[in-house]
């Protein structure tokens, strides 16, 4: 129900954002809204297909360097690294976030969300020494930190989402609270630096104070909604 509700909300938001004032009082789907509905149908097929996949074998013990989750993280790190390379990653609106795949494009930061969750789910259930800071807790953070650092260069919002989701999973995995309290302040400081050292990010944070100051840029969505 949560997934379907989010899917419907996304379709409605795309439809709303692409509507124009035409004087037509009757409901009609815009071209962007119809395109989004097509994406929703593909997503539903993938949703039910992957829902039948038995993920239990991923939890079986194996050497970390041979485990499929390890390779998932390594491939994700590699893709998020090469997308930053000029002439490899596709740049749009000043951000280089996409890799060309011929018939479509891949956004590695989206794969990073999935990889972070799968990695932590596997790691937190198979490592008995998480209570130790240097041999348990710290190695848990290294892949997540690398993913966040690569993603945050071009996509602050996705990196913040990965960090918050990871923090939630660490709490659910019952790591020691004092260990979390050691890493939260520097994580917030790093996030604040990445947020504030770009002028457009600072402007977005304060645009709500006067959206009409930039009606075609930072204030556009607030005015339209």
């Amino acid at each position: 129900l949560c997934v379907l509700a989010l899917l419907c909300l996304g379709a409605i938001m795309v439809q709303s954002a692409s509507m124009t004032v035409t004087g037509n009082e009757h409901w009609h789907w815009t071209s962007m809204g119809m395109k989004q509905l097509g994406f929703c149908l593909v997503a539903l097929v993938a949703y039910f297909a992957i829902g039948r996949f038995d993920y239990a074998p991923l939890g079986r013990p194996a050497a970390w360097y041979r485990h499929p989750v390890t390779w998932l993280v390594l491939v994700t790190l590699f893709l998020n690294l090469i997308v930053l390379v000029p002439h490899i990653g596709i740049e749009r609106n000043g951000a280089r976030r996409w890799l060309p795949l011929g018939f479509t494009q891949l956004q590695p930061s989206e794969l990073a969300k999935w990889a972070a969750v799968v990695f932590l789910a596997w790691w937190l259930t198979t490592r008995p020494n998480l209570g130790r800071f240097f041999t348990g807790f710290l190695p848990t953070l290294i892949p997540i930190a690398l993913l966040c650092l690569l993603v945050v260069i071009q996509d602050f919002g996705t990196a913040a989402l990965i960090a918050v989701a990871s923090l939630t999973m660490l709490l659910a995995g019952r790591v020691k609270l004092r260990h979390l309290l050691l890493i939260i302040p520097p994580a917030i400081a790093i996030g604040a630096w990445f947020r504030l050292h770009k002028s457009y990010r600072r402007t977005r944070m304060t645009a709500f104070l006067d959206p009409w100051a930039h009606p075609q840029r930072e204030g556009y969505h607030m005015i339209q909604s």
Side-chain angles (χ1 to χ4, degrees):
L1 289 177
C2 291
V3 172
L4 294 177
L6 288 171
L7 193 66
C8 291
L9 179 63
I12 293 171
M13 290 299 101
V14 171
Q15 165 72 5
S16 175
S18 60
M19 289 176 67
T20 56
V21 179
T22 61
N24 184 1
E25 297 181 354
H26 300 288
W27 173 268
H28 66 282
W29 282 98
T30 65
S31 59
M32 287 296 295
M34 289 299 296
K35 186 177 181 181
Q36 187 67 17
L37 282 180
F39 291 151
C40 289
L41 292 176
V42 174
L44 284 173
V45 173
Y47 173 71
F48 287 108
I50 295 175
R52 299 182 63 84
F53 172 71
D54 182 13
Y55 57 83
L58 293 177
R60 293 173 183 169
W64 67 269
Y65 54 86
R66 291 190 301 175
H67 202 281
V69 175
T70 301
W71 286 100
L72 169 65
V73 174
L74 291 176
V75 170
T76 304
L77 287 170
F78 175 73
L79 293 177
N80 278 277
L81 180 63
I82 64 171
V83 76
L84 302 175
V85 179
H87 308 299
I88 295 181
I90 299 174
E91 183 175 351
R92 289 182 180 174
N93 299 322
R96 189 176 287 109
R97 300 177 184 173
W98 296 269
L99 289 173
L101 293 182
F103 64 95
T104 185
Q105 297 171 0
L106 171 68
Q107 190 169 352
S109 60
E110 293 297 318
L111 184 60
K113 296 178 187 178
W114 186 62
V117 171
V118 173
F119 166 76
L120 283 177
W122 165 63
W123 189 268
L124 291 173
T125 53
T126 57
R127 294 299 181 270
N129 60 342
L130 288 171
R132 300 176 183 176
F133 184 80
F134 289 104
T135 59
F137 182 72
L138 201 58
T140 305
L141 295 183
I142 291 175
I144 303 301
L146 290 174
L147 283 173
C148 287
L149 287 174
L150 287 174
V151 171
V152 76
I153 296 173
Q154 298 289 335
D155 193 345
F156 178 86
T158 299
L161 179 61
I162 293 172
V164 172
S166 299
L167 175 62
T168 305
M169 293 189 69
L170 289 171
L171 288 170
R174 296 188 177 184
V175 300
K176 291 185 177 179
L177 190 59
R178 65 175 181 269
H179 292 168
L180 286 176
L181 293 177
L182 286 175
I183 60 102
I184 288 177
I188 292 176
I190 294 172
W193 184 85
F194 274 103
R195 187 70 175 176
L196 298 176
H197 91 289
K198 293 285 189 180
S199 59
Y200 71 89
R201 289 174 180 165
R202 292 197 302 270
T203 306
R204 286 177 181 174
M205 291 180 66
T206 57
F208 73 95
L209 297 173
D210 185 11
W212 292 100
H214 305 284
Q216 295 299 319
R217 298 201 307 270
E218 289 80 13
Y220 179 81
H221 290 294
M222 280 177 281
I223 293 171
Q224 291 298 100
S225 61

